[in-house]
Amino acid sequence: MEPEAPCLEIETKHSLATRWFHWLNFPLIAVMAWSGMLIYWANDVYRIGWGETTLFKFFPPSWYQALGWEGRLAEGMAWHFLFGWLFAINGVLYVAYLAISKRYRELLPRRGDAKAALRVLLHDLKLSKAVPPDEKFNAAQRFAYSGVILMGFGSLVTGLAIFKPVQMAWLTNLLGGYQISRFIHFWLTILFCLFFVVHVLQVARAGWRNFRSMVAGFDTRKEAAEADG
């Protein structure tokens, strides 16, 4: 008598809409960051330091020379504005989907999440052996993913303020003027890049099953037991 084939229980992880919005954001943000650098080349004023002391400048001339990003301001503006609208549309549709499907409840931080997020951070840094609760999104992820949505809104608003400072003078003035709007827009871009790096490292750390679930939308409990065992 032949042994019965093991039965794999399929567990739904991410909806099709969530996966589409997630994966569309990758090329959109990548092109936005690249084209933004072509624009920033024309007036790269930001640095980390004080007075006449500079610890780090965004970015040295060798950076642009090595990557061939010099003298491409017009090209950068064309790509940036095109993909900026695509990024905005994708973001608006994603927020609308979260509202209609009620899935925003999974991402909003909850009472006590500040301490829980700290425990997750200490565990990820190998500074604590306390294992965080097994949830679809842990406390740290809820803060991060909610924060990214707010960052996207901030990037859109500040981008409009510096793209049309005359036509949208009310918005530019509301944000404190052109220079402040540009400063906020720049640092939001840096935060997006940092988030992307940390996100990729976390995905690699979580393993193949986590990545597959964001592609296929499901996981299998049998494989999960074997992998953990």
Side-chain angles (χ1 to χ4, degrees):
M1 183 176 180
E2 295 183 1
E4 295 184 2
C7 180
L8 301 179
E9 183 180 352
I10 295 178
E11 178 184 9
T12 302
K13 286 286 189 179
H14 305 287
S15 67
L16 179 62
T18 297
R19 286 177 280 139
W20 268 104
F21 290 127
H22 176 273
W23 288 110
L24 280 174
N25 264 332
F26 175 74
L28 291 176
I29 293 177
V31 173
M32 290 287 289
W34 163 74
S35 58
M37 287 299 304
L38 299 184
I39 298 172
Y40 181 67
W41 162 85
N43 188 21
D44 56 345
V45 296
Y46 299 129
R47 65 190 179 95
I48 295 176
W50 60 91
E52 296 183 356
T53 302
T54 299
L55 299 178
F56 181 81
K57 186 178 187 303
F58 299 93
F59 293 88
S62 57
W63 170 272
Y64 302 104
Q65 294 171 1
L67 296 173
W69 289 354
E70 294 180 298
R72 299 171 63 182
L73 174 61
E75 178 186 357
M77 293 176 67
W79 282 108
H80 203 69
F81 299 149
L82 170 61
F83 275 75
W85 288 117
L86 297 177
F87 176 73
I89 293 171
N90 190 56
V92 169
L93 291 177
Y94 177 56
V95 171
Y97 165 73
L98 290 178
I100 294 171
S101 66
K102 310 292 186 185
R103 291 181 180 270
Y104 66 88
R105 297 171 180 170
E106 300 175 347
L107 300 179
L108 287 178
R110 305 163 188 170
R111 181 178 299 179
D113 267 1
K115 292 182 179 179
L118 178 59
R119 289 194 292 269
V120 172
L121 177 62
L122 293 175
H123 177 267
D124 289 349
L125 294 175
K126 307 298 183 183
L127 298 176
S128 172
K129 294 183 179 180
V131 180
D134 186 15
E135 305 174 272
K136 182 175 182 179
F137 299 112
N138 61 45
Q141 289 173 321
R142 285 193 288 271
F143 273 113
Y145 298 154
S146 297
V148 163
I149 294 175
L150 293 177
M151 285 164 51
F153 176 74
S155 294
L156 174 61
V157 171
T158 54
L160 288 173
I162 60 180
F163 174 40
K164 297 289 186 179
V166 175
Q167 295 87 336
M168 303 194 71
W170 64 269
L171 178 60
T172 306
N173 294 331
L174 182 65
L175 294 173
Y178 180 87
Q179 294 301 335
I180 292 179
S181 299
R182 183 174 185 250
F183 181 81
I184 296 173
H185 192 77
F186 175 84
W187 281 103
L188 284 173
T189 302
I190 297 296
L191 289 176
F192 261 116
C193 293
L194 290 175
F195 172 83
F196 174 76
V197 171
V198 173
H199 187 57
V200 170
L201 291 176
Q202 288 289 71
V203 169
R205 179 177 176 273
W208 164 250
R209 282 174 41 230
N210 184 64
F211 176 79
R212 182 187 60 185
S213 69
M214 185 50 76
V215 176
F218 66 88
D219 195 6
T220 51
R221 291 186 183 277
K222 177 66 176 179
E223 292 180 0
E226 291 175 351
D228 297 335

